[in-house]
C-alpha cells in the first residue's frame, strides 16, 4: 500500500522511495538588518537600493523618496597634498564628499524636521558637488556647508536651495523625457507619460512649497539680525554674505532675474563692508570671533574666519560681472576708481584654481569698468580710458605668462577636472584679451581684427564638447565655464560661420551658471544674430528673385550687409533691454545702431527658455 507524505512545502509524494528525490526544504539565509535606505522604503518595509537622488522603488512607484541613509564605513579624505584643505576634515570623519566639514546637525536653536534633514543631506551628497563645477569646490564643499552650523538663517537658506535644486532637476529631466517622447513618437505611451507628468508636477509643487517655507524662515532671520545689531560683527557679515549667495542661487533657479540681481547688489555691499572691517581691524583681533564648534581648525579663511576670502570673492565676483549688463544703477564713483589699478601677484600658479582665483578679480574689474559706460553720456569719458586699458593689458600679460608655465607642466592635463579648468581659463583669457585690446569707442568693424581669436575660442569650446554634453544638463553651478565666452563670441564676432558655431555650443550647454541660463543665453543670442543678419538675408532673397522681407521706410537702400559674410555698422545691435519674469519667460528688445541714432523703436521678441 502506498504511503502518502506531505512535506513542509505542501507537495504530495505518493511513493515513499521518491521522498529522497524531493527538493530540500528552503532555508532562509540570515543577513544583518540594514539601517540605511530611504525613509519611504523603511516605512513600507521593503528593500531600498539607495539610489540618489531617488531610489528605484520610489521612482517606479511614483512615491516621494524621503532621505536616503548612508553608511559611515566608506572613508573619503582630502588629499594631504592640497594645502587649502589640509586638516579640514577630522580624522574620525568617514563619510560624505571630499573636503566637507563635520556638519551633521542643524545649528543651535533649530529643531530640524525630517524633511529639512533629508534636503540638507541631498545638498551635501548631491547638489554641492554640482554647484562647485570645476573651480568653486572650496566655497561649495566647505564654506557653504560649514556656515550651516553657525546660524539658522544659513541652515534654512541651504534647505531652500536644496529643494529648488531638486525641483529644477525634475524639470530638466521632464523636458528631456518629453523631447525623447516627441522624437520617438512611441505608441501607447501617452497614458503612462501623463501619469508620470502628474506625479512629477506634484513633486515639483511640494518642493517649491517647502523651499518657500524655508526661504521665508531665512528672510525672517535676516531681518531680525539686521534689526538687533547696531554694528554687524565680522561673523554676522560672513553669515549674511553666505546667505545672500544662496538667495542668489535660489532666485536663479526660479528664473527670477530681478531678484537675483538685487541679491548680488546686496552681496557686493556686504563684501565691501567685510573687507573694510578686515583691513581696519588689528592683526590680533582679526578672526577672534569663532562660532564654529571645535575652535578654528576648520575655518575657511584661517584664524577663525568662516569664509575663505579668495573662494567667496571669486564666486561673488563672477555674479557681479554677470549682473553688470542689467543693473539699474552704477556703483559709487570711488568704487570704479579703485578698479583702475589692476595688479597680479608674483607667486607662481601650482593649480588651475590658483590661476582662477587671480583671473576672476582681473576679469570682473575690467568688465565692471566697461559696463559702466551705459551710465556715461560724454564719449570722451567712456571707460576704461586708454591708460587704464594699458595697465590691464600688462596685468593680463603677467597672468598669461604664469598660466602658460603652469599649463606646460608635465601631467597637468592628465586630470580631467584640471584639463577642463585649463581650457575654460584659456578661452576666457582670449576673451578678456580681445576686449582689452579693442577700443571701446571704435566702430563695429574693429571686431573683425579679432576673428582669428574668436575662432580659437570656439575651437576650445568644441574640444570641451564631451564635458558640455551632460545627461539632462548641469542643474546649477556657481562655477565658470564656456557659456559666457560662447555668448559673447556669438554676439560680438561678425563672422557668420564662427558665431553660428558659438550658438551651437550654447545650445549644447544645457546649464544654469550663476545668473546665466544657457537656454536663455542661446535664445537671446539666436535672436540677436537673426536680427543682425536679416537685412543681408533679405537682399540675397531679393537678388534670387524672391520677395524678401519688407524694409522699413527709413531703411537705407545702400546697406552694405551681405548674407553669410558681413553685417554693416548700421545693423549691428548696440543696445539690448530685457524684461525677465519668473518661470523662464520674458521679453527682449533689440536696438541697432541705426535705430538708436534715428530714435526708432527696437525690435521686440517674446522669449521662453
Amino acid at each position: 500500500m502506498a504511503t502518502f507524505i506531505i512535506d513542509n512545502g505542501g507537495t504530495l509524494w505518493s511513493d515513499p522511495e521518491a521522498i529522497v528525490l524531493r527538493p530540500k526544504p528552503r532555508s532562509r539565509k540570515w543577513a544583518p538588518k540594514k539601517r540605511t535606505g530611504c525613509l519611504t522604503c523603511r516605512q513600507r518595509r521593503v528593500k531600498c537600493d539607495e539610489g540618489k537622488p531617488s531610489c528605484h522603488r520610489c521612482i517606479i512607484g511614483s512615491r516621494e523618496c524621503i532621505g536616503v541613509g548612508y553608511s559611515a564605513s566608506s572613508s573619503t579624505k582630502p588629499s594631504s597634498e592640497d594645502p587649502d584643505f589640509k586638516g579640514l576634515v577630522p580624522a574620525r570623519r568617514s563619510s560624505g564628499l571630499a573636503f566637507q566639514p563635520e556638519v551633521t546637525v542643524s545649528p543651535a536653536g533649530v529643531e530640524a524636521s525630517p524633511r529639512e534633514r533629508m534636503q540638507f543631506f541631498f545638498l551635501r551628497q548631491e547638489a554641492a558637488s554640482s554647484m562647485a563645477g570645476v573651480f568653486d569646490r572650496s566655497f561649495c564643499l566647505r564654506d557653504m556647508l560649514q556656515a550651516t552650523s553657525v546660524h539658522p538663517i544659513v541652515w534654512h537658506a541651504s534647505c531652500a536651495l536644496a529643494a529648488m535644486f531638486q525641483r529644477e532637476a525634475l524639470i530638466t529631466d521632464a523636458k528631456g523625457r518629453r523631447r525623447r517622447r516627441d522624437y520617438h513618437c512611441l505608441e501607447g505611451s501617452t497614458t503612462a507619460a501623463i501619469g508620470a507628468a502628474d506625479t512629477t508636477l506634484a513633486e515639483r509643487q511640494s518642493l517649491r512649497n517647502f523651499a518657500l517655507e524655508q526661504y521665508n524662515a531665512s528672510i525672517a532671520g535676516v531681518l531680525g539680525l539686521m534689526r538687533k545689531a547696531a554694528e554687524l560683527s565680522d561673523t554676522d557679515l560672513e553669515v549674511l554674505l553666505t546667505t545672500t549667495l544662496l538667495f542668489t542661487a535660489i532666485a536663479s533657479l526660479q528664473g527670477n532675474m530681478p531678484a537675483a540681481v538685487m541679491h548680488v547688489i546686496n552681496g557686493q555691499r556686504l563684501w565691501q563692508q567685510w573687507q573694510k572691517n578686515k583691513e581696519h581691524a588689528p592683526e590680533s583681533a582679526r578672526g577672534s570671533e569663532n562660532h564654529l564648534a571645535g575652535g578654528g581648525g576648520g575655518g575657511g579663511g584661517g584664524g577663525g574666519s568662516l569664509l575663505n576670502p579668495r573662494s567667496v570673492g571669486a564666486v561673488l565676483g563672477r555674479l557681479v560681472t554677470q549682473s553688470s549688463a542689467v543693473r539699474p544703477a552704477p556703483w559709487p564713483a570711488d568704487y570704479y576708481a579703485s578698479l583702475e589699478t589692476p595688479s597680479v601677484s608674483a607667486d607662481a600658479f601650482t593649480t588651475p584654481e590658483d590661476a582662477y582665483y587671480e583671473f576672476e578679480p582681473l576679469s570682473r574689474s575690467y568688465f565692471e569698468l566697461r559696463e559702466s559706460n551705459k551710465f556715461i553720456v560724454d564719449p570722451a569719458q567712456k571707460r576704461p580710458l586708454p591708460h587704464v586699458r594699458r595697465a590691464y593689458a600688462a596685468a593680463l600679460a603677467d597672468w598669461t605668462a604664469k598660466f602658460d608655465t603652469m599649463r606646460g607642466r608635465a601631467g597637468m592635463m592628465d586630470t580631467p577636472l584640471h584639463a577642463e579648468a585649463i581650457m575654460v581659463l584659456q578661452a576666457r583669457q582670449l576673451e578678456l584679451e580681445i576686449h582689452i585690446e579693442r577700443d571701446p569707442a571704435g566702430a563695429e568693424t574693429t571686431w573683425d581684427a579679432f576673428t582669428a581669436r574668436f575662432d580659437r575660442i570656439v575651437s576650445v569650446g568644441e574640444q570641451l564638447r564631451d564635458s558640455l554634453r551632460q545627461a539632462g544638463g548641469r542643474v546649477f553651478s556657481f562655477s565658470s565655464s564656456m557659456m559666457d565666452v560662447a555668448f559673447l563670441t556669438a554676439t560680438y564676432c561678425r563672422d557668420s560661420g564662427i558665431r553660428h558655431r558659438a550658438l551651437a555650443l550654447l545650445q549644447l550647454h544645457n546649464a544654469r551658471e550663476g545668473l546665466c541660463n544657457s537656454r536663455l543665453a542661446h535664445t537671446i543670442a539666436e535672436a540677436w544674430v537673426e536680427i543682425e543678419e536679416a537685412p543681408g538675408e533679405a537682399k540675397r532673397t531679393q537678388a534670387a528673385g524672391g520677395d524678401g522681407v519688407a524694409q522699413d521706410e527709413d531703411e537705407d537702400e545702400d546697406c552694405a550687409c551681405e548674407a553669410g559674410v558681413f553685417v554693416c555698422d548700421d545693423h549691428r545691435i548696440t543696445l539690448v533691454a530685457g524684461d525677465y519674469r519668473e518661470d523662464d519667460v520674458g521679453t527682449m528688445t533689440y536696438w541697432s545702431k541705426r535705430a538708436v541714432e534715428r530714435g526708432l523703436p527696437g525690435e521686440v521678441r517674446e522669449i521662453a527658455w
Side-chain angles (χ1 to χ4, degrees):
M1 184 176 68
T3 305
F4 293 88
I5 300 175
I6 299 179
D7 69 2
N8 292 335
T11 303
L12 178 67
W13 298 86
S14 60
D15 187 351
E17 295 179 2
I19 293 179
V20 295
L21 302 177
R22 68 183 181 180
K24 295 181 180 179
R26 292 179 59 190
S27 60
R28 189 161 188 169
K29 219 174 193 181
W30 181 87
K33 187 174 182 180
K34 294 184 71 174
R35 297 294 179 182
T36 57
C38 74
L39 296 178
T40 305
C41 288
R42 289 168 65 182
Q43 289 171 357
R44 296 178 61 234
R45 299 190 178 185
V46 295
K47 186 175 181 181
C48 179
D49 68 346
E50 301 181 24
K52 301 170 187 174
S54 297
C55 72
H56 181 67
R57 285 188 182 273
C58 288
I59 291 173
I60 63 175
S62 298
R63 296 181 177 87
E64 183 180 9
C65 188
I66 303 176
V68 177
Y70 66 97
S71 170
S73 60
S74 59
S75 176
T76 308
K77 299 179 181 179
S79 171
S80 59
E81 298 176 1
D82 190 344
D84 283 342
F85 297 103
K86 186 175 181 181
L88 175 65
V89 182
R92 68 179 182 276
R93 174 169 167 70
S94 57
S95 63
L97 297 171
F99 314 147
Q100 286 193 10
E102 182 92 353
V103 179
T104 56
V105 295
S106 56
V110 174
E111 286 290 337
S113 67
R115 180 69 180 271
E116 289 177 20
R117 290 194 295 269
M118 179 270 289
Q119 290 296 166
F120 179 72
F121 182 81
F122 171 78
L123 176 70
R124 65 182 295 175
Q125 296 297 114
E126 297 293 328
S129 59
S130 175
M131 292 181 196
V134 293
F135 294 113
D136 297 312
R137 300 177 68 80
S138 176
F139 174 74
C140 293
L141 301 183
R142 180 180 64 188
D143 295 355
M144 179 179 73
L145 297 177
Q146 182 170 258
T148 60
S149 67
V150 176
H151 203 288
I153 66 173
V154 188
W155 169 265
H156 290 303
S158 68
C159 290
L161 175 57
M164 288 303 300
F165 186 100
Q166 195 169 4
R167 176 179 179 268
E168 180 65 19
L170 289 172
I171 294 173
T172 303
D173 184 57
K175 288 179 178 178
R177 287 199 307 269
R178 185 165 60 250
R179 284 193 296 267
R180 290 191 295 271
R181 186 175 70 250
D182 293 343
Y183 178 78
H184 292 291
C185 298
L186 299 177
E187 295 183 1
S189 62
T190 305
T191 303
I194 292 174
D198 289 343
T199 302
T200 302
L201 183 61
E203 290 181 42
R204 283 159 45 190
Q205 188 60 46
S206 173
L207 288 165
R208 186 188 183 98
N209 292 342
F210 175 79
L212 181 60
E213 171 191 317
Q214 294 295 308
Y215 180 82
N216 288 338
S218 185
I219 285 289
V222 169
L223 295 176
L225 183 61
M226 297 294 291
R227 278 196 300 266
K228 73 178 183 180
E231 185 175 346
L232 296 172
S233 67
D234 283 355
T235 300
D236 292 334
L237 289 170
E238 291 176 273
V239 165
L240 289 170
L241 180 55
T242 306
T243 305
T244 301
L245 292 175
L246 299 184
F247 285 170
T248 304
I250 293 169
S252 178
L253 286 165
Q254 286 179 305
N256 191 339
M257 180 70 76
V261 172
M262 179 194 70
H263 291 311
V264 171
I265 293 171
N266 291 337
Q268 176 71 352
R269 290 170 179 159
L270 289 167
W271 165 263
Q272 291 174 346
Q273 182 61 48
W274 182 45
Q275 291 301 296
K276 187 181 297 183
N277 288 2
K278 290 173 74 68
E279 289 172 3
H280 294 163
E283 188 67 30
S284 59
R286 291 177 190 174
S288 59
E289 290 183 332
N290 183 6
H291 292 241
L292 303 179
S305 181
L306 177 63
L307 301 177
N308 183 328
R310 287 203 316 167
S311 62
V312 72
V315 171
L316 179 62
R318 184 156 183 266
L319 294 173
V320 168
T321 302
Q322 290 178 330
S323 69
S324 60
V326 292
R327 276 200 310 269
W331 301 112
D334 59 345
Y335 169 73
Y336 291 111
S338 70
L339 304 180
E340 294 184 349
T341 53
S343 62
V344 174
S345 73
D347 298 334
F349 299 145
T350 57
T351 66
E353 288 77 12
D354 292 338
Y356 168 70
Y357 287 141
E358 201 161 283
F359 179 85
E360 199 61 60
L362 192 67
S363 175
R364 173 187 62 82
S365 299
Y366 187 83
F367 283 108
E368 280 280 88
L369 287 171
R370 196 198 69 167
E371 290 297 334
S372 68
N373 287 330
K374 65 185 179 183
F375 305 111
I376 299 175
V377 177
D378 185 0
Q381 298 300 318
K382 293 291 186 181
R383 298 186 180 111
L385 297 173
H387 73 279
V388 177
R389 287 172 47 219
R390 288 193 293 272
Y392 272 92
L396 182 61
D398 292 341
W399 181 92
T400 303
K402 296 196 297 180
F403 176 71
D404 289 341
T405 300
M406 179 208 66
R407 187 160 56 103
R409 193 174 300 131
M412 185 56 66
M413 298 290 286
D414 293 346
T415 305
L417 199 65
H418 278 183
E420 182 179 352
I422 287 172
M423 295 177 78
V424 169
L425 285 172
Q426 184 180 1
R428 293 192 62 193
Q429 180 267 336
L430 287 168
E431 173 207 17
L432 182 57
E433 188 177 72
I434 290 171
H435 285 278
I436 290 175
E437 291 185 18
R438 178 185 175 271
D439 183 358
E444 288 297 313
T445 52
T446 57
W447 291 107
D448 296 344
F450 307 103
T451 299
R453 272 179 269 190
F454 280 127
D455 183 63
R456 286 173 59 193
I457 288 172
V458 176
S459 296
V460 170
E462 289 169 344
Q463 292 178 54
L464 279 169
R465 191 169 291 149
D466 289 341
S467 64
L468 298 181
R469 189 184 289 111
Q470 302 176 38
R474 184 182 294 141
V475 175
F476 175 82
S477 174
F478 285 110
S479 197
S480 175
S481 77
M482 286 295 302
M483 181 168 60
D484 294 353
V485 185
F487 177 80
L488 291 173
T489 301
T491 53
Y492 288 125
C493 179
R494 303 205 316 164
D495 182 280
S496 180
I498 293 174
R499 69 191 324 194
H500 280 279
R501 286 163 59 201
L503 281 175
L505 286 176
L506 280 175
Q507 190 173 28
L508 173 68
H509 192 77
N510 184 16
R512 290 181 187 265
E513 292 176 355
L515 302 185
C516 294
N517 178 337
S518 63
R519 297 190 294 272
L520 170 61
H522 177 263
T523 302
I524 293 174
E526 187 177 42
W528 191 311
V529 172
E530 181 183 321
I531 293 169
E532 285 192 345
E533 295 183 348
E537 293 293 339
K539 290 174 66 176
R540 177 162 63 181
T541 303
Q542 289 174 345
D547 294 335
V549 178
Q551 291 186 330
D552 296 336
E553 293 182 1
D554 294 328
E555 186 72 62
D556 292 331
E557 295 182 359
D558 58 348
C559 165
C561 289
E562 185 177 350
V565 178
F566 185 77
V567 177
C568 76
D569 227 29
D570 280 349
H571 288 112
R572 286 281 281 182
I573 301 298
T574 58
L575 183 62
V576 179
D579 176 21
Y580 306 103
R581 302 183 291 276
E582 277 198 58
D583 295 325
D584 297 339
V585 294
T587 304
M588 295 298 300
T589 306
Y590 301 82
W591 286 269
S592 65
K593 179 184 177 184
R594 182 181 67 89
V596 172
E597 290 177 347
R598 302 184 184 184
L600 301 175
E603 185 160 344
V604 179
R605 295 289 181 94
E606 291 292 329
I607 57 173
W609 59 94

